[in-house]
Amino acid sequence: MPSKVVVGAQWGDEGKGKIIDILAARADLVVRAQGGNNAGHTVESGGEVYKLHLVPSGILYEGTLCGIGCGVVVDPKVLLEEIDGLQARGRRCSQLRIDPRAHLIMPWHIRLDALSERALGKDKIGTTGRGIGPCYMDKAQRSGLRVCDLLDPEIFRRKAYAAGEQKNEIITRVYRQPPLDMEAVMEEYLGYAQRLRDYVADVSVLADEALRAGKRVLFEGAQGTLLDLDFGTYPYVTSSNPISGGVCTGVGIGPSRIDEVIGVAKAYTTRVGEGPFPTELTGELGCYIRERGREFGATTGRPRRTGWFDAVILRHAVRVNGLTSLALNKLDTLAGMETLKICTAYRKPDGSILRDFPPSLEELAGCAPIYEDLPGFTGDLGGCRGYEELPAACRDYIERIEELCGCRVSMVGVGPGREQNLER
Ligand code: GDP
Ligand code: IMO
Ligand code: MG
């Protein structure tokens, strides 16, 4: 295992945290490349449940170095709370490193995220409200504040005042809301600087050194392919590139340094937030899957929308990420259903068949899924410890997914625990 990228193949929450935690047992360095605390990655280990938002999911192994790359947007308050929370549970975070180029989420980003969603009304994106979009907007506009700015109080004050005053104009004049108290913001953030200083290191250099030394490096994706700013269901997406290509710019390594790309998917589909979802099940069956799969957001607690497995989405994910294998989670959730459906293609209103995921939202909204029925399986899969122990119908379901997506399933999830992962 020299270097592996782990990405979400659907709309996020595919179980990336669990897969990273499992692979991290054999890794020297785990790095996050994009997103921020919109992510919620669950790791279950020894009966303990950890919900990680910014800290990489390799943190539970003391010998594993963990990096937050330059493509991540960092809310220092959330990061420090997360570090404190881990330390309170006996976990050390001394092996954590944060890239000085990473952008900072400021209080005005969070305020503007909420105000913009409110202004959109029924057309809202359904964001996590963590200030992610506004922070990436400032990064692209070249007016953002970075971790390196925070390390020098004078530089930080000058840049933050200029940026904050401008945002206060928007908050007061466009949204007609009270301004933020800039002095309070300065004080708060300069307090964080004291504590964050020790963690700052060039993550691009760290990753390069590790790769040159033949060490094992894991890149932890956040969100998922259909939330990608370019290849997702725009505008119902996040503001970064969660696909594998985002790792290069979000860490500072070249594409030639990536050996494997693992796509994580659920055995069905879920999504939080607004936007089209062709195989969505809005009735009783959708509720059944939500309850059985405990499909409630790890970050916001929102109920996740649920639906059948969509091979059109997975083929898109295999292509845009260059997936070399798939980790298919939550097979156990589907046990007990008489028939399972897999969407193999979409039918357009004119009757023509679409095999590739369409770029236009309007085109997608007009598509009807074409299903193939497969026999369901029963039993508690949670205790299975080998692929051959799975019911035959379950293996047939997995193997049909492989055929339809053109990608090998190398890991199968039968429960949230570390040991509930079957490697093939
Ligand atoms: P992430 O954002 O991709 O890391 O995924 P989340 O942690 O947001 O959501 C995945 C949820 O599914 C978590 O509660 C996991 O503990 C759980 N999970 C992961 N794999 C499996 C599995 O194979 N079976 C079951 N039942 N739960 C799983
Ligand atoms: P993990 O890493 C699922 C969704 C939000 C919303 C859209 C934009 O746990 O898989 P944002 O706050 O990013 O501007 O919201 O993206 N979203 C996620 N959905 N899992 C995530 O992360 C998500 N991060 C963002 O619900 O629809
Ligand atoms: Mg999640």
Side-chain angles (χ1 to χ4, degrees), residues 81-136:
E81 280 171 4
E82 199 165 319
I83 292 171
D84 288 342
L86 283 161
Q87 284 173 343
R89 294 173 75 177
R91 302 290 177 171
R92 291 177 50 213
C93 291
S94 54
Q95 79 272 38
L96 181 68
R97 304 286 181 274
I98 307 161
D99 196 280
R101 300 175 188 87
H103 279 248
L104 292 169
I105 294 186
M106 301 298 295
W108 45 82
H109 293 137
I110 299 168
R111 178 77 70 87
L112 288 168
D113 194 350
L115 291 171
S116 146
E117 284 283 90
R118 203 166 74 185
L120 284 169
K122 66 168 185 28
D123 293 327
K124 71 177 196 287
I125 312 269
T127 72
T128 59
R130 303 307 195 249
I132 306 294
C135 184
Y136 279 116

Side-chain angles (χ1 to χ4, degrees), residues 13-18 40-42 44 298 304 329-330 332-333 413-416:
D13 303 327
E14 299 92 346
K16 299 175 290 294
K18 181 186 82 167
H41 295 179
T42 314
E44 289 201 29
R304 295 176 182 145
N329 279 327
K330 304 198 104 162
D332 52 310
T333 301
V414 292

Side-chain angles (χ1 to χ4, degrees), residues 29 67 76 85 96 114 153 160 164 191 208 251 279 293 310 337 348 368 372 398 419:
L29 171 66
L96 181 68
D208 184 61
V251 178
T279 64
D310 188 334
M337 297 172 88
K348 300 215 290 184
E372 182 175 301
I398 296 165
E419 65 298 339

Side-chain angles (χ1 to χ4, degrees), residues 11-14 16 38-41 113 125-130 132-133 221-224 227 236-239 271-274 298-299 302:
W11 271 293
D13 303 327
E14 299 92 346
K16 299 175 290 294
N38 47 351
H41 295 179
D113 194 350
I125 312 269
T127 72
T128 59
R130 303 307 195 249
I132 306 294
Q223 289 79 53
L227 290 170
Y236 298 99
V237 293
T238 191
S239 300
R271 141 162 242 182
V272 253
E274 311 304 315
T299 295
R302 288 179 288 179

Side-chain angles (χ1 to χ4, degrees), residues 7-269:
V7 292
Q10 295 157 323
W11 271 293
D13 303 327
E14 299 92 346
K16 299 175 290 294
K18 181 186 82 167
I19 298 297
I20 288 282
D21 170 69
I22 290 165
L23 295 174
R26 286 167 272 162
D28 300 295
L29 171 66
V30 181
V31 188
R32 272 277 305 268
Q34 44 69 229
N37 59 307
N38 47 351
H41 295 179
T42 314
V43 176
E44 289 201 29
S45 150
E48 296 246 358
V49 180
Y50 294 86
K51 293 203 183 286
L52 300 162
H53 301 285
L54 275 165
V55 174
S57 302
I59 200 75
L60 303 186
Y61 301 94
E62 280 197 12
T64 306
L65 205 58
C66 287
I68 294 179
C70 65
V72 176
V73 285
V74 178
D75 184 330
K77 179 171 188 269
V78 173
L79 179 59
L80 289 168
E81 280 171 4
E82 199 165 319
I83 292 171
D84 288 342
L86 283 161
Q87 284 173 343
R89 294 173 75 177
R91 302 290 177 171
R92 291 177 50 213
C93 291
S94 54
Q95 79 272 38
L96 181 68
R97 304 286 181 274
I98 307 161
D99 196 280
R101 300 175 188 87
H103 279 248
L104 292 169
I105 294 186
M106 301 298 295
W108 45 82
H109 293 137
I110 299 168
R111 178 77 70 87
L112 288 168
D113 194 350
L115 291 171
S116 146
E117 284 283 90
R118 203 166 74 185
L120 284 169
K122 66 168 185 28
D123 293 327
K124 71 177 196 287
I125 312 269
T127 72
T128 59
R130 303 307 195 249
I132 306 294
C135 184
Y136 279 116
M137 280 164 73
D138 278 355
K139 175 176 177 175
Q141 207 192 4
R142 296 153 294 179
S143 60
L145 289 152
R146 302 190 296 167
V147 168
C148 54
D149 296 322
L150 197 54
L151 302 183
D152 184 318
E154 239 169 77
I155 292 177
F156 183 75
R157 266 186 174 276
R158 180 169 50 79
K159 292 189 182 177
Y161 247 106
E165 292 296 351
Q166 207 186 33
K167 292 298 189 268
N168 266 345
E169 289 283 299
I170 299 172
I171 291 168
T172 53
R173 288 173 187 243
V174 177
Y175 293 106
R176 308 216 169 276
Q177 294 293 312
L180 289 160
D181 176 347
M182 292 301 292
E183 217 18 73
V185 172
M186 297 301 140
E187 211 170 297
E188 181 189 343
Y189 273 65
L190 289 172
Y192 300 145
Q194 298 303 325
R195 292 197 55 204
L196 282 180
R197 188 175 299 277
D198 295 343
Y199 297 101
V200 178
D202 192 320
V203 173
S204 166
V205 171
L206 274 183
D208 184 61
E209 283 172 356
L211 290 165
R212 279 176 197 276
K215 292 193 173 161
R216 297 154 304 178
V217 182
L218 272 178
F219 298 103
E220 176 175 355
Q223 289 79 53
T225 303
L226 287 189
L227 290 170
D228 186 273
L229 187 54
D230 291 288
F231 288 98
T233 43
Y234 191 89
Y236 298 99
V237 293
T238 191
S239 300
S240 67
N241 287 112
I243 61 168
S244 60
V247 165
C248 294
T249 51
V251 178
I253 55 148
S256 58
R257 315 305 294 276
I258 297 170
D259 298 303
E260 276 183 50
V261 186
I262 302 168
V264 187
K266 277 175 188 163
Y268 46 95
T269 313

